[in-house]
Amino acid sequence: MGSGKTTAIQALCTEVGRDRRVLYLTYSKLLKADAQRRVKHAKVQNYHGIVYPSLVRAGIKCGLDESIRRFNAAFTSLSASFPRFDLLVVDEYQDINEEYAQLLRHIKSLNPSMQTVLVGDLAQKVHSNTTLDVQRFAREITRQAELMPFTQSFRVGRELGALLGEAWNKPVVGVNPAQTLRYVSYSEALEFMSAKKPGDLLCLGRRNGQMAEALNHLERKHGEVFNKETVYASIRDGDTSVTYGDDTAVFTTFDSSKGLERPASVVFDYDEAMWDMRCGFPGVDKTVMRNVFLVAASRGKHEVVFVRSEQAHRQPKSIGFIPVQRFTQLPDDEQPEYEKPFLASECFDFTYAENLQACVDLLDRRRLDDGAGQEINIDRVDGLIDLSPVVGHYQEAVFFDRYNPALEVMLNPKPIAKQLRVKLSEDPWHNSLLLTAVDTDQMRYAEQVTRKVSVDVRDGLTRRLATQLPRDCAAQVPMQLSGTAVASPAATAISFVGVADAVHDGQVFELKFVSELDNAMFLQLALYLVMGGHRTGVLWNTRTDERWAVQVPDRERFMHAVVLCVTKQRYQAFRTAPHQPEPGGRSGAGAMFPMRLGGPR
């Protein structure tokens, strides 16, 4: 909130770090990079980074997703070589999970007298991904802790500070006289943005909507200033392979705004319709959602510009176009119902880490390759444009006879698809760029990417895929699983849908082209196995040729765990709809798991 905590941390680390060992921990690569620029006289790392050297020295091979868990499990043998510290600074402590908490316990056990400083604010908790009671853990790891509340905000002015304080029910004293609040139309916002330097601009809102339209407008009409070298536009929340500096304009979501600051922020979709929609998502934590919205409103140091939508109306006491009372009178939690199906590719993204791991523990995973695969190098960044989704489309388009990104563009009803149809060609890479533009609503994929894929890369990909799959196998296979989520005495319909990359010889193949396979990818494949009634699947990182055979030994137990995970513990069991057959031919009320291929309906 611009309260001066980073300045305080800098002063603390500078003073203590002259003659004592200081460890500064944060939870993401982006926050680590920012802290490394600002905080001196301390070892600055994220949680995965601090444990990985110990695992490498011990010969323990694992992915990033598994690294902290493996370190915690092997801590007794690893502790002798792990560095000791005199001061531990934990940034954004409110967002740690149980694995991180156990790691911090281990670090402190090596020097019980180590001073511990927890930096953060529970009112700014913007993640709901753990069952850990953070307040209880804070009391556990500290002794005779002294609270040092920072109530002044050097980023926000008096007006916004008072509104945020009321919305959060805590003191927020805005002391920045330079900050102004403005409420403008979409056309006025475009004029305002076009007059800014890229490094002065932060834009927040839904990725698909007015913010994407504004990005496209700026890059088309003012391309000499706003382009792939000066603008970063996110396509997913969380870490990214793209790195950018303070001279870059940033377009991203409310959820990713924490830690960002620019002289001017332009906030789209900050209205009651957006608030109601986000709070209406099944299982959403209303308190965390309030924090996400309030953090997003406070990112502009000099100017905060709220863009008026058609349905937005200003009321006397509002933040943006949302009355403060909407934040102070949060809607009651109700047992959610799931009208829309869960997407297999996304449903594990925003779950409790502990429940996610419980699902993974129910899988049978076996490494198939020898680890000696040669890496296929494709540029996944062009300027500040993330090409990862393009590569995903391309590797399938260049190999499978039954997958054509041009057809995907032709059949897509979105207006941007209609604009791009005239640009389709015979080149799979070009068409994959157009399809990504349709998926993201960002015309930069169609108009600014100049990266090409060499013949050597194309041939390397096709040769690698051909080692396991024929070109004419079933590709982009739609799948669906329907049933009931149960929480005694409540129950609700629930369904899962997805599209498996390939099915061949009774196996489901899920293809990735990534730096590292993660747990959600294994679970996506496992869900396809349950959906399709297949015994074995293969998760394949075609970039490195890493391949894993995956099975679900106990599908009933697995689906109970999946429902518990994706509903964030609101439902505990999964049962099929009555009279639908399960594998082996049984049917009837209460039977488990209808295995049915077929498109989402």
Side-chain angles (χ1 to χ4, degrees):
M1 187 57 66
S3 61
K5 67 182 179 70
T6 302
T7 302
I9 292 171
Q10 285 176 312
L12 175 65
C13 292
T14 299
E15 181 65 28
V16 175
R18 289 194 178 100
D19 52 12
R20 289 194 286 170
R21 298 159 299 179
V22 179
L23 174 61
Y24 179 107
L25 279 180
T26 189
Y27 67 87
S28 76
K29 290 188 294 184
L30 290 176
L31 289 176
K32 179 188 76 173
D34 181 67
Q36 285 175 331
R37 290 195 300 267
R38 301 187 187 195
V39 178
K40 307 301 179 184
H41 304 291
K43 182 175 183 62
V44 178
Q45 261 297 359
N46 58 352
Y47 295 95
H48 300 287
I50 197 64
V51 304
Y52 221 75
S54 296
L55 296 172
V56 171
R57 284 194 298 269
I60 299 175
K61 295 182 179 180
C62 63
L64 285 180
D65 259 16
E66 298 286 334
S67 59
I68 296 173
R69 189 171 185 239
R70 294 290 295 275
F71 178 89
N72 286 338
F75 178 71
T76 301
S77 60
L78 299 175
S79 60
S81 62
F82 193 83
R84 273 64 172 167
F85 297 95
D86 303 303
L87 171 64
L88 171 63
V89 179
V90 181
D91 195 19
E92 306 294 358
Y93 81 94
Q94 72 275 1
D95 290 318
I96 63 174
N97 62 31
E98 182 57 57
E99 282 188 349
Y100 295 167
Q102 186 59 36
L103 170 61
L104 296 175
R105 293 184 186 104
H106 285 319
I107 293 173
K108 184 147 189 174
S109 73
L110 298 175
N111 180 9
S113 63
M114 177 180 67
Q115 184 180 5
T116 304
V117 178
L118 304 179
V119 184
D121 183 355
L122 283 173
Q124 292 195 54
K125 182 176 176 60
V126 295
H127 299 287
S128 178
N129 61 354
T130 182
T131 58
L132 176 72
D133 185 330
V134 178
Q135 288 179 305
R136 178 179 296 176
F137 171 72
R139 292 192 296 269
E140 169 198 336
I141 202 169
T142 57
R143 292 292 181 269
Q144 297 179 327
E146 182 178 348
L147 299 179
M148 298 181 63
F150 287 22
T151 59
Q152 289 187 326
S153 173
F154 299 97
R155 183 187 305 128
V156 306
R158 178 183 296 179
E159 179 184 356
L160 184 55
L163 291 168
L164 293 172
E166 182 174 349
W168 260 315
N169 191 28
K170 70 168 191 175
V172 178
V173 182
V175 295
N176 178 14
Q179 187 188 66
T180 59
L181 305 181
R182 299 179 59 186
Y183 306 89
V184 304
S185 66
Y186 175 71
S187 61
E188 290 170 330
L190 293 181
E191 184 178 354
F192 174 85
M193 296 161 68
S194 65
K196 294 295 179 184
K197 297 178 181 178
D200 290 343
L201 191 59
L202 169 65
C203 296
L204 303 172
R206 289 192 303 119
R207 288 196 182 92
N208 302 96
Q210 285 189 332
M211 186 170 73
E213 294 173 10
L215 169 67
N216 294 336
H217 172 88
L218 287 177
E219 293 192 319
R220 278 184 165 176
K221 300 295 184 180
H222 307 279
E224 71 286 354
V225 176
F226 296 96
N227 52 62
K228 67 180 181 182
E229 305 298 337
T230 64
V231 177
Y232 168 69
S234 72
I235 56 174
R236 64 173 69 85
D237 292 326
D239 287 343
T240 173
S241 57
V242 180
T243 57
Y244 57 86
D246 292 339
D247 58 349
T248 302
V250 177
F251 286 66
T252 192
T253 62
F254 296 172
D255 304 76
S256 296
S257 65
K258 188 167 178 59
L260 297 178
E261 178 184 284
R262 288 292 189 273
S265 68
V266 179
V267 189
F268 297 87
D269 308 307
Y270 209 95
D271 53 40
E272 293 184 85
M274 180 69 159
W275 170 253
D276 289 339
M277 181 186 73
R278 293 297 302 270
C279 286
F281 287 167
V284 70
D285 184 320
K286 310 294 195 308
T287 300
V288 168
M289 189 54 55
R290 177 199 64 192
N291 297 345
V292 166
F293 270 72
L294 297 184
V295 166
S298 66
R299 301 296 97 191
K301 190 167 185 178
H302 299 313
E303 295 170 289
V304 180
V305 178
F306 293 101
V307 183
R308 186 182 299 108
S309 58
E310 290 184 3
Q311 64 270 39
H313 302 284
R314 277 285 291 162
Q315 296 188 25
K317 188 181 288 188
S318 296
I319 299 174
F321 299 96
I322 304 176
V324 169
Q325 67 179 16
R326 299 299 298 274
F327 298 123
T328 59
Q329 300 174 9
L330 297 179
D332 293 333
D333 284 331
E334 298 178 356
Q335 196 71 1
E337 296 183 353
Y338 304 100
E339 296 178 359
K340 294 183 179 179
F342 286 92
L343 298 179
S345 59
E346 298 178 0
C347 65
F348 298 105
D349 288 350
F350 300 102
T351 57
Y352 293 143
E354 298 81 10
N355 295 150
L356 184 76
Q357 187 61 54
C359 291
V360 174
D361 290 341
L362 295 174
L363 304 183
D364 183 355
R365 299 187 289 176
R366 179 170 54 89
R367 181 89 180 243
L368 296 175
D369 68 294
D370 59 7
Q374 185 174 358
E375 185 172 318
I376 296 175
N377 288 309
I378 300 178
D379 287 329
R380 290 185 297 155
V381 175
D382 186 354
L384 295 172
I385 301 178
D386 186 349
L387 299 181
S388 300
V390 187
V391 176
H393 291 309
Y394 174 74
Q395 69 171 345
E396 298 182 31
V398 79
F399 182 77
F400 293 120
D401 293 340
R402 303 188 192 184
Y403 179 66
N404 184 355
L407 184 61
E408 297 284 326
V409 175
M410 291 293 293
L411 296 177
N412 195 294
K414 293 169 66 173
I416 190 173
K418 296 178 181 179
Q419 296 178 43
L420 293 174
R421 288 169 190 167
V422 296
K423 295 191 175 188
L424 291 167
S425 71
E426 297 299 317
D427 178 10
W429 176 254
H430 175 78
N431 292 342
S432 296
L433 285 167
L434 298 185
L435 180 55
T436 306
V438 172
D439 290 342
T440 63
D441 280 349
Q442 295 180 13
M443 290 295 290
R444 54 190 0 217
Y445 284 97
E447 298 176 345
Q448 296 188 56
V449 174
T450 56
R451 289 278 192 268
K452 303 292 184 182
V453 177
S454 69
V455 173
D456 288 343
V457 166
R458 181 198 66 194
D459 293 345
L461 267 176
T462 54
R463 283 195 301 269
R464 178 161 288 174
L465 288 166
T467 63
Q468 307 294 321
L469 294 167
R471 285 181 175 270
D472 63 351
C473 73
Q476 293 292 291
V477 180
M479 296 185 174
Q480 178 175 320
L481 174 65
S482 299
T484 303
V486 179
S488 182
T492 186
I494 192 169
S495 62
F496 300 87
V497 298
V499 179
D501 290 330
V503 177
H504 172 62
D505 198 22
Q507 294 191 106
V508 179
F509 285 76
E510 187 61 26
L511 309 178
K512 304 295 182 182
F513 193 96
V514 293
S515 301
E516 186 109 29
L517 297 174
D518 62 33
N519 284 339
M521 297 173 187
F522 282 95
L523 292 175
Q524 179 186 354
L525 173 59
L527 200 49
Y528 289 154
L529 296 180
V530 177
M531 287 179 177
H534 298 282
R535 175 177 172 78
T536 305
V538 176
L539 180 60
W540 190 358
N541 185 0
T542 55
R543 183 183 183 189
T544 62
D545 205 27
E546 179 182 354
R547 287 178 291 116
W548 291 80
V550 177
Q551 293 184 334
V552 186
D554 188 335
R555 298 184 175 211
E556 178 176 339
R557 189 178 174 196
F558 174 73
M559 284 307 301
H560 290 334
V562 167
V563 165
L564 186 74
C565 182
V566 302
T567 68
K568 304 187 88 165
Q569 302 185 356
R570 290 170 172 84
Y571 292 90
Q572 290 80 44
F574 177 82
R575 300 192 182 278
T576 188
H579 311 303
Q580 290 193 1
E582 63 175 323
R586 289 190 297 146
S587 64
M592 290 291 178
F593 317 124
M595 307 305 174
R596 182 177 64 214
L597 282 173
R601 289 189 285 273

